[in-house]
Amino acid sequence: MSGIVNRFRRVILITVDCLRADHIGCIGGGNLTPNIDRLARDSIVFTRAFANGPGTNQSFPAILTSTYFLIHGGLRLNPRCTTLAEVLRDHGFKTVAFHSNPFLSEILGWNKGFDEFYDFMDTLKGASAFITRQQQAGLTGKLTRFAASLLGASRSSKVQSFLKKVYFKFSKLEIPYLEGKELNKHVTNWVERNLDERFFLWMHYMDPHDPYVPPEEYLSDFSSRKEAFDFNLSVDKDNLSEEELSTLKRLYEGEVKYTDACIGQFLDYLEEKKLLEESLIIITADHGHAFMEHGRFAHAYDILYNEVIHVPLIISGKSENYKIASNVQLLDLSPTILDLLKIKKPSSFMGESLLPVIEGIERKTPIFSESAEPDLINLKYNINKKAVSCIFGSYKIIINELRNSIELYNIDQDFDEKDNLIDCEEKRAKKLKLLLQKHLIREKAFKMKIYL
């Protein structure tokens, strides 16, 4: 850990929706992310980081509260869980958030600990039709329509109803989230007013989320964003031809390139203002996205394969560059940030600091990812019908109660999870099942503890 500064005036957490780790150049190769790769040259890069759930709802509790999804059991943040923002605010950091994902909105409690919280739900034309700070009444139906799209549902009438609200006007695409360059404007305007402050800034880019309509300079198959948008609506995501799937992949790659350019623009601003020094910068994603690797598209609530839970994790603090291939999880991110700042983690954080791993100490910690059957009408999940996974060492087990399936993979030899070993590795499966059982018991005990 010799290369990392132990005291930081600024903590900047950059999260990206739907960003697959294998699309990051310094992790999976390729040239889609030159700006992220540039930051990575002076960073610690975790090449095997895993989200603790397959979607925003399931993953962000781990990122911002170091707790598992089932502790919360719904769309709302459990108010008894301490957030990273609360801890940093208590230690003298000004805290601010910028994003436009309805599942992370103030109305669902995600503003907890932030001095300033900008979710843009009351200004975005698409999103404001579903959630506003004033419109508590009728929230569930509106959120359900939006959620159906975000969860990767098929072409149901609800999804079609939502998509019709995503429209073009005066040749400008109006989508229900803030695009990357617009997000940057809001963030840099705030930073400009707070140059001398110690601050924690969280910003979340939505652009790699479908529908995929990157700006024209990032389009390869269409002459306009309108054509790309119409294509997104016309294809049946449950029955894609190879050509349609290839086109969607290229559109997704265009969104990744665009998001990377936006991140590069923001990093250039920080460099221009001489803010990179004494800044701890983290880039990660809440989850990835499936392109039919296991017969499914998007990131539905019960997909726990690596195409969905393998995410980038880059920590930059003016450190020498090196890659860490150990399996790590986003549950440990907030404890790591606090450890770097020499701040004691709160008792409600279930994760552990990654500093020992960074310093070369081998640690075999089970990694759990969780989800459950959604009940979006009531803004909660049926936690009695779960999908859970456990990674321990070289092996990963997935128990999906919604599909009555159990799968076991050796992810060192089969990271793409093609060869299910459940019938020939009974002892290994039993061991991982036991780890999962102990984990779920621990969760129940933890939940009882925080309510005492």
Side-chain angles (χ1 to χ4, degrees):
M1 206 42 218
S2 58
I4 290 187
V5 179
N6 285 324
R7 291 292 178 182
F8 298 96
R9 288 186 51 77
R10 293 164 292 273
V11 178
I12 300 171
L13 174 61
I14 300 172
T15 56
V16 185
D17 218 285
C18 294
L19 182 59
R20 291 172 59 128
D22 61 5
H23 280 53
I24 305 299
C26 61
I27 298 175
N31 59 358
L32 298 176
T33 58
N35 295 289
I36 293 175
D37 296 343
R38 169 165 56 100
L39 180 72
R41 287 197 288 269
D42 295 314
S43 304
I44 296 161
V45 178
F46 294 90
T47 62
R48 298 257 300 230
F50 295 92
N52 296 99
T56 298
N57 299 331
Q58 300 93 336
S59 179
F60 260 100
I63 296 172
L64 291 182
T65 74
S66 191
T67 58
Y68 294 98
F69 161 73
L70 293 177
I71 297 293
H72 303 260
L75 296 179
R76 293 186 178 91
L77 180 69
N78 188 323
R80 294 180 180 268
C81 291
T82 303
T83 66
L84 175 64
E86 286 180 290
V87 179
L88 294 180
R89 185 177 64 183
D90 289 346
H91 284 81
F93 286 82
K94 194 169 186 177
T95 57
V96 64
F98 294 88
H99 75 84
S100 57
N101 187 322
F103 285 136
L104 300 171
S105 65
E106 178 179 333
I107 203 170
L108 297 177
W110 288 97
N111 62 319
K112 192 167 185 267
F114 287 99
D115 297 312
E116 299 178 57
F117 189 83
Y118 302 98
D119 60 15
F120 303 99
M121 293 299 103
D122 54 355
T123 58
L124 286 168
K125 292 184 179 180
S128 62
F130 301 96
I131 305 176
T132 69
R133 293 181 179 87
Q134 292 76 30
Q135 288 178 306
Q136 296 271 353
L139 167 67
T140 55
K142 296 168 185 175
L143 182 59
T144 298
R145 289 194 291 274
F146 196 98
S149 175
L150 292 183
L151 289 171
S154 62
R155 296 173 66 197
S156 66
S157 59
K158 288 182 179 179
V159 175
Q160 289 299 319
S161 173
F162 164 75
L163 289 173
K164 287 177 183 177
K165 296 179 183 294
V166 184
Y167 57 92
F168 290 88
K169 186 177 182 181
F170 305 117
S171 300
K172 183 178 185 301
L173 176 67
E174 295 184 5
I175 52 181
Y177 59 78
L178 206 65
E179 294 186 77
K181 287 187 178 179
E182 292 300 313
L183 181 71
N184 281 359
K185 289 178 184 177
H186 288 279
V187 171
T188 53
N189 286 341
W190 185 91
V191 173
E192 199 71 29
R193 299 192 305 270
N194 292 274
L195 292 173
D196 298 325
E197 298 279 355
R198 295 179 74 216
F199 62 75
F200 167 51
L201 163 66
W202 165 44
M203 57 192 299
H204 182 69
Y205 291 96
M206 283 291 293
D207 304 272
H209 199 291
D210 65 324
Y212 309 128
V213 283
E216 274 80 0
E217 60 265 40
Y218 300 96
L219 285 174
S220 59
D221 294 84
F222 303 94
S223 60
S224 71
R225 300 183 81 186
K226 186 178 189 314
E227 286 185 11
F229 177 76
D230 290 343
F231 173 79
N232 273 269
L233 267 69
S234 68
V235 296
D236 181 355
K237 304 288 178 61
D238 290 332
N239 189 28
L240 292 167
S241 68
E242 289 188 13
E243 182 180 355
E244 289 170 337
L245 181 61
S246 295
T247 301
L248 287 170
K249 285 181 178 179
R250 287 191 293 273
L251 286 170
Y252 173 78
E253 289 172 359
E255 294 282 24
V256 172
K257 288 181 182 179
Y258 171 65
T259 304
D260 176 76
C262 292
I263 291 174
Q265 181 188 59
F266 178 60
L267 294 175
D268 288 343
Y269 167 80
L270 294 177
E271 186 172 18
E272 176 190 338
K273 296 295 179 178
K274 300 185 179 350
L275 296 178
L276 289 178
E277 207 64 49
E278 297 184 297
S279 289
L280 175 62
I281 302 173
I282 302 100
I283 296 179
T284 189
D286 54 350
H287 55 81
H289 193 92
F291 285 94
M292 307 302 287
E293 290 88 350
H294 291 86
R296 311 279 297 282
F297 183 83
H299 52 280
Y301 56 88
D302 64 335
I303 301 178
L304 291 173
Y305 298 114
N306 289 339
E307 58 263 27
V308 169
I309 67 168
H310 181 214
V311 294
L313 178 57
I314 298 167
I315 299 178
S316 175
K318 304 307 284 186
S319 158
E320 69 272 12
N321 167 260
Y322 57 103
K323 294 183 179 181
I324 296 176
S326 303
N327 295 331
V328 300
Q329 59 187 333
L330 297 187
L331 185 84
D332 296 331
L333 179 55
S334 282
T336 303
I337 291 170
L338 295 182
D339 202 359
L340 282 166
L341 297 170
K342 304 299 183 184
I343 297 173
K344 183 179 179 181
K345 72 171 186 174
S347 60
S348 64
F349 279 19
M350 301 180 77
E352 300 291 338
S353 172
L354 292 173
L355 290 199
V357 178
I358 293 170
E359 291 168 351
I361 299 173
E362 187 176 357
R363 187 181 78 182
K364 282 194 173 182
T365 301
I367 294 172
F368 302 103
S369 297
E370 305 176 341
S371 189
E373 184 179 52
D375 175 7
L376 294 174
I377 298 299
N378 295 302
L379 301 184
K380 63 181 183 180
Y381 284 75
N382 178 6
I383 62 175
N384 294 317
K385 285 190 174 183
K386 299 182 291 292
V388 293
S389 68
C390 173
I391 296 171
F392 188 66
S394 301
Y395 287 83
K396 174 182 175 182
I397 194 169
I398 304 172
I399 300 177
N400 190 335
E401 295 176 359
L402 296 104
R403 292 177 174 265
N404 295 316
S405 63
I406 302 178
E407 300 163 78
L408 179 71
Y409 300 98
N410 182 332
I411 60 171
D412 283 349
Q413 299 176 5
D414 178 26
F415 196 78
D416 294 335
E417 299 160 301
K418 299 299 184 184
D419 185 14
N420 185 1
L421 304 174
I422 194 65
D423 293 328
C424 55
E425 291 268 13
E426 292 183 7
K427 288 185 178 180
R428 186 79 59 178
K430 184 177 180 180
K431 181 178 181 179
L432 267 65
K433 283 181 186 177
L434 184 59
L435 286 173
L436 268 172
Q437 290 170 2
K438 289 181 177 178
H439 165 69
L440 295 173
I441 291 170
R442 179 191 174 209
E443 271 193 334
K444 287 182 180 179
F446 178 86
K447 197 168 184 178
M448 290 178 63
K449 179 182 176 181
I450 64 174
Y451 275 96
L452 289 177

